[in-house]
């Protein structure tokens, strides 16, 4: 194990048409670190997260995952060229992603959702993939729901199943895109518990969230974003205790009342 | 006005209807197969990010939807041999013509079905490391196909009725047989009515099946 960061983002830029969503973002995520990304809506948090596994194509700058450039390769002249689909897929498979709207496959049972990635992408034998899936499903507390279809589950159960599905790929890092924002308030806790347990096991996590309690308790560092830029990146004690930026202070005042 | 209906002749000539129905079914099956395979291909091309694939599919679909199928059939049967030396039998020509025509409509059903699947589904598939083909085959199409059943059954009923146009190529399908029968019996009202009943008997089971499937599949959504 080296001390090199697992994820390194350098001067990242992204536009949607004329709108600049990311305007030169740079940061590192260390192995085993939990980073929370907070900020007002439209600040580019989700886009940034989606650039990390190249679900969103960035125009300039770099994303490095485990020292490998994500989405591009350098030609001999040093210019960036689009990478092959295959390489992009391989890197993607090493980052689990959890979405705001769960995005479970509605035509498959919980078990089949969790088995899908390992069997289809990693070519793991079905029986082995099922063993792995059952352990993960039990771990997120859904052992009695493995034959249920997503529509038969509550939002919290669906999101926990989605976490199990991402973990089944045995990822090196996990990306969470507002994982509790679509949930009824009373279901938020059960999802956060699963995420806390994951963090405690040393999983590297990047979490876009509106749950300030989670960011404060679980994150090693909190990134405050606004208008496509990092406003502040510091340990939670600093962000929540004594933010150096007035924009952070203002944002927190609004969300914490 | 004393028109005396003579339904007896329908029974007397029942073999004509059965023979016609067989040919109609044959036309339907082959045209449908061609329409489905080509329609899926065109629908996928039309949904592609690449203009190189999207444009030819769009041109094909628009061309076949904007021109009368009657002319398309006549072209395939009479003009292709002159232009390209391709001579097909009349049944083959009818199958190909109807299949090519229906492919344009079926392509649009596929395209709309694929477009109706929430983008989060392909995001989730991609985030697991799936390729475009894997995501289509395992995640997007199985869901899209379920939503496509009602419009697809519509198209199927249309297709079966379009096979009557085979009569212009002298294919002995139901309409052609019926018209021959009218020429012999001078009972157009009875014969056309019976023709409608035969079509209904052929098509209705599929409408029922579609309703069953819809019920079964909406349970999990």
């Amino acid at each position: 194990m080296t001390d090199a960061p697992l994820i390194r983002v350098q001067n990242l830029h992204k536009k949607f048409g004329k709108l600049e969503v990311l305007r030169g973002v740079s940061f590192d995520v260390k192995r085993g670190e939990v980073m929370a990304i907070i900020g007002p809506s439209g600040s580019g948090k989700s886009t940034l997260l989606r650039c990390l596994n190249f679900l969103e194509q960035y125009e300039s700058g770099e994303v490095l995952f485990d020292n490998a450039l994500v989405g591009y390769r350098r030609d001999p002249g040093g210019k960036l060229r689009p990478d092959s689909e295959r390489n992009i897929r391989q890197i993607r498979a090493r980052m689990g992603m959890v979405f705001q709207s769960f995005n479970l496959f509605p035509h498959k049972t919980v078990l089949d959702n969790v088995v899908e990635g390992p069997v289809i992408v990693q070519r793991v034998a079905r029986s082995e993939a099922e063993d792995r899936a059952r352990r993960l499903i039990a771990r997120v507390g859904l052992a009695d729901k493995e034959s249920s279809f997503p529509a038969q589950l509550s939002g919290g159960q669906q999101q926990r199943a989605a976490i199990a599905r991402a973990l089944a790929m045995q990822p090196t890092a996990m990306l969470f895109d507002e994982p509790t924002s679509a949930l009824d308030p009373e279901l938020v806790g059960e999802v956060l518990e699963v995420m806390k347990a994951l963090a405690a096991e040393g999983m590297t996590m990047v979490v876009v969230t509106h749950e300030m309690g989670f960011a404060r308790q679980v994150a090693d560092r909190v990134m405050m974003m606004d208008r496509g830029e990092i406003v502040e990146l510091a340990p939670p004690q600093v962000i929540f205790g004594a933010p150096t930026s007035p924009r952070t202070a203002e944002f927190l005042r609004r969300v914490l009342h | 006005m004393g028109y005396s209906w003579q339904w007896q002749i329908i029974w007397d000539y029942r073999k004509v209807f059965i023979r016609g129905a067989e040919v109609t079914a044959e036309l339907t099956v082959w045209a449908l197969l061609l329409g489905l395979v080509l329609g899926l291909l065109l629908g996928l091309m039309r949904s592609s990010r690449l203009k190189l694939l999207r444009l030819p599919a769009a041109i094909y679909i628009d061309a076949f939807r904007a021109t009368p199928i009657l002319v398309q059939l006549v072209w395939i049967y009479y003009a292709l041999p002159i232009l390209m030396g391709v001579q097909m039998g009349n049944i083959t020509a009818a199958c190909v013509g109807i299949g090519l025509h229906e492919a344009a409509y079926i392509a649009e059903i596929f395209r709309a079905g694929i477009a109706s699947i929430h983008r989060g589904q392909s995001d989730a598939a991609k985030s697991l490391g799936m390729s475009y083909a894997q995501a289509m085959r395992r995640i997007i199409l199985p869901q899209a196909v379920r939503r496509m059943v009602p419009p697809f059954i519509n198209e199927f009923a249309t297709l079966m009725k379009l096979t009557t146009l085979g009569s212009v190529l002298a294919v002995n399908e139901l309409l052609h047989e019926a018209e021959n029968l009218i020429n012999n019996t001078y009972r157009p009202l009875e014969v056309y009515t019976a023709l409608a009943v035969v079509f209904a008997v052929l098509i209705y089971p599929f409408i029922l099946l579609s309703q069953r499937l819809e019920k079964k599949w909406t349970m999990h959504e």
Side-chain angles (χ1 to χ4, degrees), chain B:
Chain B
M1 292 290 288
Y3 185 87
S4 59
W5 295 88
Q6 294 185 17
W7 294 110
Q8 182 60 38
I9 62 149
I10 302 299
W11 181 250
D12 294 343
Y13 286 98
R14 61 189 181 278
K15 278 195 178 141
V16 172
F17 286 97
I18 291 167
R19 208 165 58 204
E22 281 169 9
V23 177
T24 292
E26 189 189 341
L27 286 181
T28 304
V29 168
W30 289 111
L32 187 66
L33 269 179
L34 176 61
L36 277 176
V37 172
L38 187 60
L40 174 60
L41 186 72
L42 286 165
L44 287 173
M45 286 169 70
R46 192 90 162 69
S47 312
S48 168
R49 280 169 304 172
L50 302 175
K51 201 169 179 188
L52 196 71
L53 294 175
R54 227 170 38 225
L55 195 67
I59 292 172
Y60 178 99
I61 291 167
D62 288 346
F64 272 88
R65 288 198 301 178
T67 53
I69 182 170
L70 189 66
V71 179
Q72 292 164 14
L73 284 174
V74 169
W75 253 78
I76 285 164
Y77 191 52
Y78 296 105
L80 275 191
I82 300 168
L83 293 174
M84 304 170 66
V86 183
Q87 179 70 68
M88 288 178 265
N90 58 348
I91 292 188
T92 312
C95 291
V96 169
I98 296 165
L100 292 180
H101 180 83
E102 279 302 306
Y105 289 88
I106 292 172
E108 284 295 276
I109 295 178
F110 274 111
R111 184 190 61 77
I114 291 167
S116 78
I117 302 301
H118 190 263
R119 182 166 155 223
Q121 291 291 308
S122 76
D123 279 350
K126 277 193 218 161
S127 76
L128 291 174
M130 283 194 200
S131 65
Y132 170 83
Q134 287 170 334
M136 261 304 155
R137 189 165 51 82
R138 304 280 312 172
I139 308 302
I140 309 296
L141 280 178
Q143 294 180 62
V145 164
R146 292 166 192 213
R147 296 191 190 172
M148 283 162 26
V149 166
F152 179 72
I153 292 296
N154 270 341
E155 208 49 54
F156 171 78
T158 304
L159 184 150
M160 187 176 273
K161 286 178 278 191
L162 280 181
T163 60
T164 53
L165 288 170
S167 59
V168 296
L169 306 184
V171 174
N172 288 320
E173 44 67 56
L174 273 169
L175 181 66
H176 200 64
E177 292 279 17
E179 280 170 345
N180 287 341
L181 189 56
I182 290 166
N183 289 338
N184 289 333
T185 60
Y186 305 105
R187 305 305 304 184
L189 291 183
E190 288 85 346
V191 171
Y192 279 134
T193 307
L195 179 68
V197 170
V198 175
F199 265 102
V201 167
L202 287 175
I203 291 172
Y204 193 66
F206 292 93
I207 295 176
L208 269 184
L209 179 71
S210 143
Q211 287 164 349
R212 285 267 169 85
L213 282 178
E214 253 188 280
K215 242 188 220 152
K216 187 177 154 207
W217 281 340
T218 47
M219 278 185 354
H220 299 310
E221 285 212 9

Side-chain angles (χ1 to χ4, degrees), chain A residues 50 55 89 92 95 97 99 103-108 116 120-121 123 149 151 165 169, chain B residues 118-121 123-131 134 138-139 142-143 146 220-221:
Chain A
R50 292 168 61 86
L55 277 189
R89 293 201 302 266
R92 252 186 212 144
M95 284 179 261
M97 192 168 208
F99 302 87
N103 299 346
L104 287 174
F105 306 132
H107 57 305
K108 293 179 184 292
E116 183 73 10
I120 298 302
V121 177
R123 309 268 168 212
F149 284 89
R165 177 178 67 180
M169 296 295 287
Chain B
H118 190 263
R119 182 166 155 223
Q121 291 291 308
D123 279 350
K126 277 193 218 161
S127 76
L128 291 174
M130 283 194 200
S131 65
Q134 287 170 334
R138 304 280 312 172
I139 308 302
Q143 294 180 62
R146 292 166 192 213
H220 299 310
E221 285 212 9

